[in-house]
Amino acid sequence: MKKLTPMLQQYFAIKAQYPDCVLLFRLGDFYEMFGTDAELASQILHIALTARNKGTENEIAMCGFPHFSADQYTKKLIRAGHKVAICDQISDPNLPGIVERDVTRVITPGTLLSDDEDETKLRLLAAVSYQGQNWEVLFCNVSTGELMPGFGTTLPDILEQLHIRQPTEILLAKEHEEKVQSLLRQSNIIATVTGLSGVYEAEGMIRHYIERTQKSATNYLHQELHREAKTIAIDEMTLRNLEIVRNNHDGKIYGSLLDTINATITAAGFRLLHTMLLHPLADANAIMYRQDIVAGFTEESIVRKSIQNLLKQVHDIEKIIAKIVLRSGSPRDLGNLSQTLNLLPNLYQALQKSLKPLIRELAETINYQGPLTELLNKALVSDTLPLTPQEGHWLQSGFDSELDEIRRRVSHTQEWLREYEEMEKQKTGIEQLKVRFNTISGFYIEISKTSLKNIALEKIAHLTRKQTLVNVERYSSVELHNFESEYLAAEEKMKARQNVLFSHLCQQVLAEKDNLQKLAKNIALIDVFSSLAQIAEEYHYTRPEISIDNSLVIEEGKHPMIARKLGSSFVANDTILNHDQQQLILITGPNMGGKSTYLRQVALIEILFLIGSFVPAQKARLPLVDHIFTRIGAQDHLLRGMSTFMVEMSETANILRSATEKSLIILDEIGRGTSTYDGLSIAWAICDYLVHSVKAKTLFASHYHELIQVIEDLPHASNASVAIAEQADQITFLYKVVPGGIGKSYGLEVAKRAGLPPSVVQYARHILQELESGIPVPTQAKEDATLFSVPIAPVQSKLEQTLEQLDINTLSPIDALLLLKTWKEKLKQI
């Protein structure tokens, strides 16, 4: 056992209470780490690893960083998957004996308050509990206090919700930890898992964990923004297939529907838009209310732009409240809150200028009349405010008489120092003498060595040597030492008083917590409505009607993400779904012809309608739905023991079990993961079941052109296809969906465009011709090893044969022109 100093004994005693955390131990102006924590942190943070008692048997690894850099280093440790315990000094370090220290906060992946590198990332803490016979999941954005309940009561439901929300940390009761954690691994859900003892209800788990780690109350927690209206659930499969809030490439928001319709300016507005996409409305009145406001902002673009300019100056009220509750707030946060409150009258006036009653009603929701505006204006200076209450002069003179008196004493410092410096110059006869100060040496008298050479020693006999440098000597005196003691005492009193006043101001803010959180919600609503109006105006979206007869009609509809990328070259399409002739539409046609884009755009337009947004279409009449189901794309879940086809069938089975007559179903290439006859049989049976049993409005894309006849014989079903232009064995995709099926696949043409070797494509065409004619492919052809190494002689067209037989040496110029004219005339007849 190593012999530990009292300080290190204190360190390891506290570390024992937090064995799963990297302990940041405050020593003066630094946070230090020792032992294995130091070795781990030095690698992650790329800081020098040193040692205490180096070279002795008591040597202990050590590293550290300045306390003002704690945020950036803490974030690096959190992103590396570790928890961090902040151990601060809780007693006066100037008192004799060892300084008392304790952990003031534990920072975990789910409780990290900010992530400046990616403000669009919603860092969530989740709690999974088991009550009676039901599972429950609850999500919490600790940095804003929002609580977001998940849907479902079974473990698969909970796993799906975790997939959708992607929390960074998951709380589990210890008795469920092993079982659920193994399922998380199988489901490829990556998050820090924290086991809790004795707490089972989800909200209780979150409150208990925040109280334990943040050492503070949880009375700032509140329900997610605007969840009062009835909504429908978007399942993980639909969320992924339609790329609603994340793209399928790297899981970020770029290229998603959220990214495409996001013109929000505030962080709270972005969070609200994210929530709206996850919870589309199922209430016609709520949808029309949102549409009316978006329409108003679209028509009154001058009003909207003035509001958006003001929103640029709005700060995140919810985060400010959370930071104050969790004791991470600063005078700068109070300043940001004050700036926002002072901006509200201007925002109110801008909204009141609208001619739309609903927009003027929004103005009343932000007409804050609380005491904070006046209080903060009276308390805070207007300059840049510090990050800690002890720093600087951030409180106005006249706000607190006790602070003013302390400042008066401190402010006399410069005057006293000037007088003292002049007195010492006269005493010593040294004109170059200076009285200076730094945080290490305190106050001192500085005399150059050159000046000292020409001065009698008795002239400086009253001075005490303090420090020798290369060119100067530093001294102190009884008067200077006494003044320093008084000055430092006054500085400490000033810092202590500023700290007290900061705490008082924070309490006043928290007394207004409920009003401020409502205010934050309403500002976020204004931001989202003006954002949707901007998108509608900029990209020519139109207001959809609500369908009374439950039909779906889209004229010149566009895929919002792809249309944004392609611009005017995107080909718009019509869609009609109803319960009469076109309850189910089968769409056939080649790959790369636009079938999947068409399917997705219909579902995306419906989702935009359900959140109250305008839609990318010339005209639209859309129904309320109880669910949007999608089965698109091929992927496997090997960790769950599921092949691509098994995943496809499981997802399809869920749709057939859950869908109702009011659902919208999007199916793409059902049955392609197995043999042709098996796949065709399954697709056929599903079409029949959807028409006769489920009766949901359905778009079904397939390569099985054999289904065209099946659809023709089914009631309430019809065929459609993506149009192509075919000419001289070449096809051109027109990306237009037209009535009627296509009884041909064009797979070889797509393979050719994809770059398959010409010999492979040619041989495939040969095999296809024989299969279609019923002639078996010769065994020797299949086994011919040289088949793909020697190009197959292409079949020559008549034109090629004519050109090959033509002798240009005997051809006169006039004959050549006549021949060319003949070919051109034949070409026109093709």
Side-chain angles (χ1 to χ4, degrees), residues 115-166:
D115 192 347
D116 296 334
E117 290 183 9
D118 187 1
E119 282 297 331
T120 61
K121 180 178 177 61
L122 302 181
R123 187 175 288 276
L124 300 179
L125 172 71
V128 176
S129 67
Y130 185 68
Q131 295 288 303
Q133 300 299 314
N134 296 324
W135 288 89
E136 175 192 14
V137 63
L138 181 68
F139 301 92
C140 177
N141 185 338
V142 177
S143 69
T144 64
E146 288 177 288
L147 292 171
M148 305 160 227
F151 295 99
T153 57
T154 67
L155 207 44
D157 292 335
I158 301 308
L159 292 173
E160 179 176 72
Q161 292 295 301
L162 293 173
H163 264 298
I164 290 172
R165 290 285 192 176
Q166 294 191 347

Coordinates of all heavy atoms in Angstrom, one line a residue, residues 115-166:
D115 N -24.4 20.9 -26.0 CA -23.5 20.3 -26.9 C -23.3 21.3 -28.1 O -24.0 21.3 -29.1 CB -24.0 19.0 -27.5 CG -23.0 18.2 -28.3 OD1 -21.9 18.8 -28.6 OD2 -23.2 17.0 -28.5
D116 N -22.4 22.3 -27.9 CA -22.3 23.4 -28.8 C -21.9 23.0 -30.2 O -22.1 23.7 -31.1 CB -21.2 24.4 -28.3 CG -21.6 25.0 -26.9 OD1 -22.8 25.0 -26.7 OD2 -20.7 25.4 -26.1
E117 N -21.3 21.8 -30.3 CA -20.8 21.4 -31.7 C -22.0 21.0 -32.6 O -21.9 21.0 -33.8 CB -19.9 20.2 -31.5 CG -18.5 20.6 -30.9 CD -17.6 19.4 -30.9 OE1 -17.9 18.4 -31.5 OE2 -16.5 19.5 -30.3
D118 N -23.1 20.6 -31.9 CA -24.3 20.2 -32.8 C -25.5 20.5 -32.0 O -26.1 19.7 -31.3 CB -24.2 18.7 -33.1 CG -25.3 18.3 -34.0 OD1 -26.1 19.2 -34.5 OD2 -25.4 17.1 -34.4
E119 N -26.0 21.8 -32.1 CA -27.2 22.2 -31.4 C -28.4 21.5 -31.9 O -29.5 21.6 -31.2 CB -27.3 23.8 -31.6 CG -26.4 24.6 -30.7 CD -26.6 24.4 -29.2 OE1 -27.7 24.1 -28.8 OE2 -25.6 24.5 -28.4
T120 N -28.4 20.9 -33.1 CA -29.6 20.2 -33.5 C -29.8 18.8 -32.9 O -30.8 18.2 -33.1 CB -29.6 20.1 -35.1 OG1 -28.4 19.3 -35.4 CG2 -29.5 21.4 -35.7
K121 N -28.7 18.4 -32.2 CA -28.8 17.1 -31.6 C -29.6 17.2 -30.3 O -29.3 18.0 -29.5 CB -27.4 16.5 -31.3 CG -27.4 15.1 -30.7 CD -26.0 14.6 -30.4 CE -26.0 13.3 -29.7 NZ -26.7 12.2 -30.5
L122 N -30.7 16.4 -30.2 CA -31.5 16.3 -29.0 C -30.9 15.3 -28.1 O -31.1 14.1 -28.3 CB -32.9 16.1 -29.3 CG -33.6 17.1 -30.3 CD1 -35.0 16.7 -30.5 CD2 -33.5 18.5 -29.7
R123 N -30.2 15.7 -27.0 CA -29.5 14.7 -26.1 C -30.6 14.3 -25.1 O -31.0 15.2 -24.3 CB -28.3 15.4 -25.5 CG -27.5 14.5 -24.6 CD -26.2 15.2 -24.2 NE -25.3 15.4 -25.2 CZ -24.4 14.5 -25.6 NH1 -24.4 13.4 -25.1 NH2 -23.6 14.8 -26.6
L124 N -31.0 13.1 -25.1 CA -32.1 12.6 -24.2 C -31.6 11.6 -23.2 O -30.8 10.8 -23.5 CB -33.2 12.1 -25.1 CG -33.8 13.0 -26.1 CD1 -34.9 12.2 -26.9 CD2 -34.4 14.2 -25.4
L125 N -32.3 11.6 -22.0 CA -32.2 10.6 -21.0 C -33.5 9.8 -21.0 O -34.6 10.4 -21.1 CB -32.0 11.3 -19.6 CG -32.0 10.4 -18.4 CD1 -30.8 9.5 -18.3 CD2 -32.2 11.3 -17.1
A126 N -33.4 8.5 -21.0 CA -34.6 7.7 -21.1 C -34.7 6.8 -19.8 O -33.7 6.4 -19.2 CB -34.6 6.8 -22.3
A127 N -35.9 6.5 -19.4 CA -36.1 5.6 -18.3 C -37.1 4.5 -18.7 O -38.2 4.8 -19.3 CB -36.7 6.3 -17.1
V128 N -36.7 3.2 -18.6 CA -37.6 2.1 -18.9 C -38.0 1.4 -17.7 O -37.1 1.0 -16.9 CB -36.8 1.1 -19.9 CG1 -37.7 -0.1 -20.2 CG2 -36.4 1.8 -21.2
S129 N -39.3 1.3 -17.4 CA -39.8 0.7 -16.2 C -40.8 -0.4 -16.5 O -41.4 -0.5 -17.6 CB -40.4 1.7 -15.3 OG -41.5 2.2 -15.8
Y130 N -41.1 -1.2 -15.5 CA -42.1 -2.3 -15.7 C -43.0 -2.2 -14.5 O -42.7 -2.4 -13.3 CB -41.4 -3.7 -15.7 CG -42.3 -4.8 -15.9 CD1 -42.9 -5.0 -17.2 CD2 -42.6 -5.8 -14.9 CE1 -43.7 -6.1 -17.4 CE2 -43.4 -6.9 -15.2 CZ -44.0 -7.0 -16.4 OH -44.8 -8.1 -16.7
Q131 N -44.3 -1.9 -14.8 CA -45.3 -1.7 -13.8 C -46.5 -2.7 -14.0 O -47.1 -2.7 -15.0 CB -45.9 -0.3 -13.9 CG -44.9 0.8 -13.6 CD -44.6 0.9 -12.1 OE1 -45.5 1.0 -11.3 NE2 -43.3 0.7 -11.8
G132 N -46.6 -3.6 -13.1 CA -47.7 -4.6 -13.2 C -47.3 -5.6 -14.3 O -46.4 -6.3 -14.3
Q133 N -48.1 -5.5 -15.4 CA -47.9 -6.3 -16.6 C -47.4 -5.5 -17.8 O -47.3 -6.0 -18.9 CB -49.2 -7.1 -17.0 CG -49.7 -8.0 -15.9 CD -48.7 -9.1 -15.6 OE1 -48.1 -9.7 -16.4 NE2 -48.5 -9.3 -14.3
N134 N -47.2 -4.2 -17.6 CA -46.9 -3.3 -18.7 C -45.5 -2.6 -18.6 O -45.1 -2.3 -17.5 CB -48.0 -2.2 -18.8 CG -49.3 -2.7 -19.1 OD1 -49.5 -3.7 -19.8 ND2 -50.4 -2.1 -18.5
W135 N -44.9 -2.5 -19.7 CA -43.6 -1.7 -19.8 C -43.9 -0.3 -20.1 O -44.9 0.0 -20.7 CB -42.7 -2.3 -20.9 CG -42.1 -3.7 -20.5 CD1 -42.7 -4.9 -20.7 CD2 -40.9 -3.9 -19.8 NE1 -41.9 -5.9 -20.2 CE2 -40.8 -5.3 -19.7 CE3 -39.9 -3.1 -19.3 CZ2 -39.7 -5.9 -19.1 CZ3 -38.8 -3.6 -18.7 CH2 -38.7 -5.0 -18.6
E136 N -43.0 0.6 -19.7 CA -43.2 2.0 -19.9 C -41.8 2.6 -20.2 O -40.8 2.2 -19.7 CB -43.8 2.7 -18.6 CG -43.9 4.2 -18.7 CD -44.2 4.8 -17.3 OE1 -44.0 4.1 -16.3 OE2 -44.5 6.0 -17.3
V137 N -41.9 3.6 -21.1 CA -40.6 4.4 -21.4 C -41.0 5.9 -21.4 O -42.0 6.3 -21.8 CB -40.0 4.0 -22.8 CG1 -40.9 4.3 -23.9 CG2 -38.7 4.7 -22.9
L138 N -40.1 6.6 -20.8 CA -40.2 8.1 -20.7 C -38.9 8.7 -21.0 O -37.8 8.2 -20.6 CB -40.6 8.5 -19.3 CG -40.8 10.0 -19.0 CD1 -42.1 10.5 -19.8 CD2 -41.0 10.3 -17.5
F139 N -38.9 9.8 -21.9 CA -37.7 10.5 -22.3 C -37.7 11.8 -21.6 O -38.7 12.5 -21.4 CB -37.7 10.6 -23.8 CG -37.7 9.3 -24.5 CD1 -38.9 8.8 -24.9 CD2 -36.5 8.6 -24.8 CE1 -39.0 7.5 -25.6 CE2 -36.6 7.4 -25.5 CZ -37.8 6.8 -25.9
C140 N -36.5 12.3 -21.4 CA -36.3 13.6 -20.7 C -35.1 14.4 -21.4 O -34.0 13.8 -21.5 CB -36.0 13.5 -19.2 SG -35.8 15.1 -18.4
N141 N -35.4 15.6 -21.8 CA -34.3 16.5 -22.3 C -33.9 17.3 -21.0 O -34.5 18.3 -20.6 CB -34.8 17.4 -23.4 CG -33.7 18.3 -23.9 OD1 -32.7 18.5 -23.3 ND2 -33.9 18.8 -25.1
V142 N -32.8 16.8 -20.3 CA -32.4 17.4 -19.1 C -32.1 18.9 -19.2 O -32.3 19.7 -18.3 CB -31.3 16.6 -18.4 CG1 -30.8 17.3 -17.1 CG2 -31.7 15.2 -18.2
S143 N -31.6 19.3 -20.4 CA -31.1 20.6 -20.6 C -32.3 21.6 -20.7 O -32.1 22.8 -20.7 CB -30.2 20.7 -21.8 OG -30.9 20.5 -23.0
T144 N -33.5 21.1 -21.0 CA -34.7 22.0 -21.1 C -35.8 21.6 -20.1 O -36.7 22.4 -19.9 CB -35.3 21.9 -22.5 OG1 -35.8 20.6 -22.8 CG2 -34.3 22.3 -23.5
G145 N -35.7 20.4 -19.5 CA -36.7 19.9 -18.6 C -37.9 19.3 -19.2 O -38.9 18.9 -18.6
E146 N -37.9 19.1 -20.6 CA -39.1 18.5 -21.2 C -39.1 17.0 -21.0 O -38.1 16.3 -21.1 CB -38.9 18.7 -22.7 CG -39.2 20.1 -23.2 CD -39.0 20.2 -24.7 OE1 -37.8 20.2 -25.1 OE2 -40.0 20.4 -25.4
L147 N -40.3 16.5 -20.6 CA -40.6 15.1 -20.4 C -41.4 14.6 -21.6 O -42.4 15.2 -22.0 CB -41.4 14.8 -19.2 CG -40.6 15.1 -17.8 CD1 -41.6 15.0 -16.7 CD2 -39.5 14.1 -17.7
M148 N -41.0 13.5 -22.3 CA -41.7 13.0 -23.5 C -42.1 11.6 -23.3 O -41.2 10.7 -23.4 CB -40.7 13.2 -24.7 CG -40.1 14.6 -24.8 SD -38.6 14.6 -25.8 CE -37.6 15.7 -24.7
P149 N -43.3 11.3 -23.1 CA -43.7 9.9 -22.9 C -43.7 9.1 -24.2 O -44.0 9.7 -25.3 CB -45.2 10.0 -22.4 CG -45.6 11.4 -22.8 CD -44.4 12.2 -22.9
G150 N -43.3 7.9 -24.1 CA -43.3 7.0 -25.3 C -44.6 6.3 -25.4 O -45.5 6.4 -24.5
F151 N -44.8 5.5 -26.5 CA -46.0 4.8 -26.7 C -45.8 3.3 -26.5 O -44.7 2.8 -26.7 CB -46.6 5.1 -28.1 CG -47.0 6.5 -28.3 CD1 -46.1 7.4 -29.0 CD2 -48.2 7.0 -27.9 CE1 -46.5 8.7 -29.2 CE2 -48.5 8.3 -28.1 CZ -47.7 9.2 -28.7
G152 N -46.9 2.6 -26.2 CA -46.8 1.1 -26.2 C -46.6 0.6 -24.7 O -46.1 1.3 -23.9
T153 N -46.9 -0.7 -24.6 CA -46.8 -1.3 -23.2 C -46.0 -2.6 -23.3 O -45.9 -3.2 -22.2 CB -48.2 -1.6 -22.6 OG1 -48.9 -2.4 -23.6 CG2 -49.0 -0.3 -22.4
T154 N -45.5 -3.0 -24.4 CA -44.8 -4.2 -24.5 C -43.3 -3.9 -24.7 O -43.0 -2.8 -25.1 CB -45.2 -5.1 -25.7 OG1 -44.9 -4.4 -26.9 CG2 -46.7 -5.4 -25.6
L155 N -42.4 -4.9 -24.5 CA -41.0 -4.6 -24.6 C -40.6 -4.3 -26.1 O -39.8 -3.4 -26.3 CB -40.2 -5.8 -24.1 CG -38.8 -5.6 -23.6 CD1 -38.7 -4.3 -22.8 CD2 -38.2 -6.8 -22.9
P156 N -41.2 -5.0 -27.1 CA -40.9 -4.5 -28.5 C -41.4 -3.1 -28.8 O -40.7 -2.4 -29.5 CB -41.8 -5.5 -29.3 CG -41.9 -6.7 -28.5 CD -42.0 -6.2 -27.1
D157 N -42.5 -2.7 -28.2 CA -42.9 -1.3 -28.3 C -41.9 -0.3 -27.7 O -41.5 0.7 -28.3 CB -44.2 -1.0 -27.6 CG -45.4 -1.7 -28.2 OD1 -45.4 -2.0 -29.4 OD2 -46.4 -2.0 -27.4
I158 N -41.3 -0.7 -26.6 CA -40.3 0.1 -25.9 C -39.1 0.2 -26.8 O -38.5 1.3 -26.9 CB -40.0 -0.4 -24.5 CG1 -41.3 -0.5 -23.7 CG2 -38.9 0.4 -23.8 CD1 -42.1 0.8 -23.6
L159 N -38.6 -0.9 -27.3 CA -37.4 -0.9 -28.2 C -37.6 0.0 -29.4 O -36.7 0.7 -29.8 CB -37.1 -2.3 -28.6 CG -36.6 -3.3 -27.5 CD1 -36.5 -4.7 -28.0 CD2 -35.3 -2.8 -26.9
E160 N -38.8 -0.1 -29.9 CA -39.1 0.8 -31.1 C -39.0 2.3 -30.7 O -38.5 3.1 -31.5 CB -40.5 0.5 -31.7 CG -40.8 1.3 -32.9 CD -42.2 1.0 -33.5 OE1 -43.2 1.3 -32.9 OE2 -42.1 0.4 -34.6
Q161 N -39.6 2.6 -29.6 CA -39.5 4.0 -29.1 C -38.1 4.4 -28.9 O -37.7 5.6 -29.1 CB -40.3 4.2 -27.8 CG -41.8 4.0 -28.0 CD -42.4 5.1 -28.9 OE1 -42.3 6.3 -28.6 NE2 -43.0 4.7 -30.0
L162 N -37.2 3.5 -28.4 CA -35.8 3.9 -28.2 C -35.1 4.1 -29.5 O -34.3 4.9 -29.6 CB -35.2 2.7 -27.4 CG -35.6 2.6 -25.9 CD1 -35.0 1.3 -25.3 CD2 -35.3 3.8 -25.1
H163 N -35.5 3.3 -30.5 CA -35.0 3.5 -31.9 C -35.4 4.8 -32.4 O -34.5 5.5 -33.0 CB -35.5 2.4 -32.8 CG -34.6 1.2 -33.0 ND1 -33.4 1.3 -33.5 CD2 -34.8 -0.1 -32.7 CE1 -32.8 0.1 -33.6 NE2 -33.6 -0.7 -33.1
I164 N -36.6 5.2 -32.1 CA -37.1 6.5 -32.7 C -36.4 7.7 -32.0 O -35.9 8.6 -32.7 CB -38.6 6.6 -32.5 CG1 -39.3 5.6 -33.4 CG2 -39.1 8.0 -32.7 CD1 -40.8 5.5 -33.2
R165 N -36.3 7.7 -30.7 CA -35.8 8.9 -30.0 C -34.3 8.8 -29.8 O -33.7 9.9 -29.6 CB -36.4 8.9 -28.6 CG -37.9 9.3 -28.6 CD -38.1 10.7 -28.8 NE -39.5 11.1 -28.6 CZ -39.9 12.4 -28.6 NH1 -39.1 13.3 -29.0 NH2 -41.2 12.7 -28.4
Q166 N -33.7 7.6 -29.9 CA -32.2 7.5 -29.8 C -31.6 8.3 -28.6 O -30.8 9.2 -28.7 CB -31.5 8.0 -31.1 CG -31.8 7.1 -32.3 CD -31.0 7.4 -33.5 OE1 -30.3 8.5 -33.6 NE2 -31.0 6.6 -34.5

